[in-house]
Amino acid sequence: MNKLNKNFLWGGAVAAHQFEGGWNSDGKGMSIADVMTVGSNSTPRKITDGILENEIYPNHEGIDFYNRYEGDIKLLAELGLKCFRTSIAWSRIFPNGDETQPNEKGLEFYDKLFDECLKYGIEPIITLSHFEMPYHLVKEYGGWRNRKLIDFFVSFAETCFVRYKDKVKYWMTFNEINNQASFSEDFEPFTNSGLLATEDENREALMYQAAHYELVASAKATIIGRKVNPDFYIGCMIAMVPVYPYSCNPKDMMAATKAMQRKYWFADVHVKGHYPSYIESHLDRKGLRSDITKEDRELLQEGTVDYIGLSYYMSKTITYQNNEPVFDYNESNDLVNNPNVESSDWGWHIDPLGLRYGLNWLNERYELPLFIVENGFGAYDTFENETVIDDYRIEYLKAHIETMKDAIEYDGVNVIGYTPWGVIDIVSAGTGEMEKRYGLIYVDKDNQGKGTLKRYRKKSFYWYKKVIESNGEEI
């Protein structure tokens, strides 16, 4: 029976724009996250045209990690983390995104951060683009609808690779690149690609074009990264949200198959280096043939990834919509409630076994090492007596770690690490809330940005510390 490797990477995960703050400190430019207001469970975040008065922009301060990183890394070392997954804010390195020279103050911040991690034996796991890009690239170039962004991103990536070649081994290019398969609203295309569709634009065509440019940029960056340091381990990052058929009706089964194809072709290109035939057919059938050159295809073939980073929070369920024989997937219309699982306060299905299913699905399809770089439970926490008794979070994480271990031990899946999301409370990407809490460390801040920002250990902090110390034997 397979067991967790003694060097298994137990860690925690966050993203620069959700926790750093310092949004305009030391030469940092405005990012797309900086123009997104606070929302709630029932109120979507607004994307504003620049910074407006009388709006709350929670990412501006985050949890002020930019000024508190030493204390926070010390807390993470106390927790026993073997690795720390975060991102480099593109707008901190290239404030506008199209400069020829980087911002030295921004580079210095990450030098200090990575040095602080390494001081405690914590391996940095770094994402280059995690729902953050310079806002100037949106205003001036239209975001990733523009081929010019390939070279801007590659310049950013190469700058980071060269600067941190002796400090960072594990890299990922684009976070949850496949989220934009949901393109009917602005949120996913904007956070992934800086896209705001005009009324006359075909949203689907726009998404496929932007994603293609990102995949080419990822491949070019990967090729360069391997030249900078052959020991780099460069991966992609996919949101694994398995889509189940509602029933064993063959039409539901086919609907689920098509949904999975539409959500995971991004990984096919990252890993296999070419577009799958089902997407080529879809593009041709709908007249979505985009700007794809012969050189692009050669780069995609050369710049394939070493591993797959993935997030897992939930599964979804689909039923067919009388749309055979095409079975076109429409996420905003085709999904239904799964009566076999419970849901969180935000309506996310709680499905631990879905993680094992997703790991098996990815392993069968790609045969690459897998790294669970996000998994967590957003909840309303009650803060009393300077702590949070979050047994519900422990229960969620425990169940998912158990199914991860089953995938390793019984199914032979090669999982190299596990970093629960929001290891410390941060601003929610989806809603902009602080009160949708994931962390094992409580941060005193509310949705209106009020609070001391003081940190407190939750009950889950001490539980996860024992999990790490026992290498997953004590759960």
Side-chain angles (χ1 to χ4, degrees), residues 98-247:
D98 58 0
E99 298 93 340
T100 57
Q101 296 298 318
N103 172 30
E104 178 62 24
K105 287 289 187 180
L107 291 168
E108 288 174 359
F109 169 71
Y110 293 106
D111 270 321
K112 292 184 290 186
L113 170 56
F114 300 153
D115 287 344
E116 198 68 19
C117 289
L118 295 170
K119 181 174 80 174
Y120 293 104
I122 299 173
E123 187 90 46
I125 311 293
I126 302 304
T127 311
L128 288 166
S129 179
H130 191 137
F131 300 166
E132 194 276 343
M133 60 182 286
Y135 185 58
H136 173 76
L137 296 182
V138 175
K139 298 295 288 183
E140 183 68 22
Y141 300 94
W144 278 96
R145 60 162 53 79
N146 194 320
R147 179 176 277 274
K148 290 181 179 179
L149 264 72
I150 295 175
D151 288 338
F152 295 148
F153 176 83
V154 170
S155 176
F156 162 58
E158 183 172 11
T159 298
C160 294
F161 288 151
V162 171
R163 180 70 171 230
Y164 309 119
K165 64 183 176 66
D166 299 320
K167 299 181 181 184
V168 177
K169 175 183 177 182
Y170 294 89
W171 300 87
M172 287 172 282
T173 50
F174 290 90
N175 182 72
E176 293 185 333
I177 189 172
N178 60 323
N179 276 1
Q180 57 196 318
S182 304
F183 50 80
S184 60
E185 303 294 336
D186 285 337
F187 180 78
E188 282 83 3
F190 186 72
T191 53
N192 273 108
S193 307
L195 299 179
L196 291 172
T198 62
E199 289 186 5
D200 61 342
E201 282 186 301
N202 182 320
R203 283 179 172 268
E204 186 176 12
L206 185 60
M207 181 278 290
Y208 277 107
Q209 184 63 79
H212 173 71
Y213 291 153
E214 287 165 346
L215 290 162
V216 173
S218 175
K220 288 187 74 171
T222 300
I223 294 165
I224 290 171
R226 292 196 177 111
K227 292 177 181 177
V228 171
N229 185 343
D231 293 329
F232 279 169
Y233 209 48
I234 305 174
C236 61
M237 200 294 201
I238 300 295
M240 171 43 71
V241 184
V243 182
Y244 301 151
Y246 182 73
S247 74

Side-chain angles (χ1 to χ4, degrees), residues 147 150-151 212 215-217 219-220 223 273 291-303:
R147 179 176 277 274
I150 295 175
D151 288 338
H212 173 71
L215 290 162
V216 173
K220 288 187 74 171
I223 294 165
D291 172 24
I292 302 177
T293 68
K294 179 182 178 182
E295 182 186 8
D296 290 346
R297 294 186 185 276
E298 291 171 351
L299 288 167
L300 294 175
Q301 192 68 55
E302 184 180 355

Side-chain angles (χ1 to χ4, degrees), residues 1-2 356 360 402 404-413:
M1 183 181 295
N2 299 300
R356 183 175 175 183
N360 272 274
E402 285 176 338
M404 174 193 74
K405 289 178 63 180
D406 287 343
I408 295 168
E409 294 175 4
Y410 297 107
D411 308 328
V413 179

Side-chain angles (χ1 to χ4, degrees), residues 40 109 145 180 186 209 279 335 366 368 416:
S40 70
F109 169 71
R145 60 162 53 79
Q180 57 196 318
D186 285 337
Q209 184 63 79
I279 287 297
L335 298 177
Y366 302 119
L368 279 184
I416 62 176

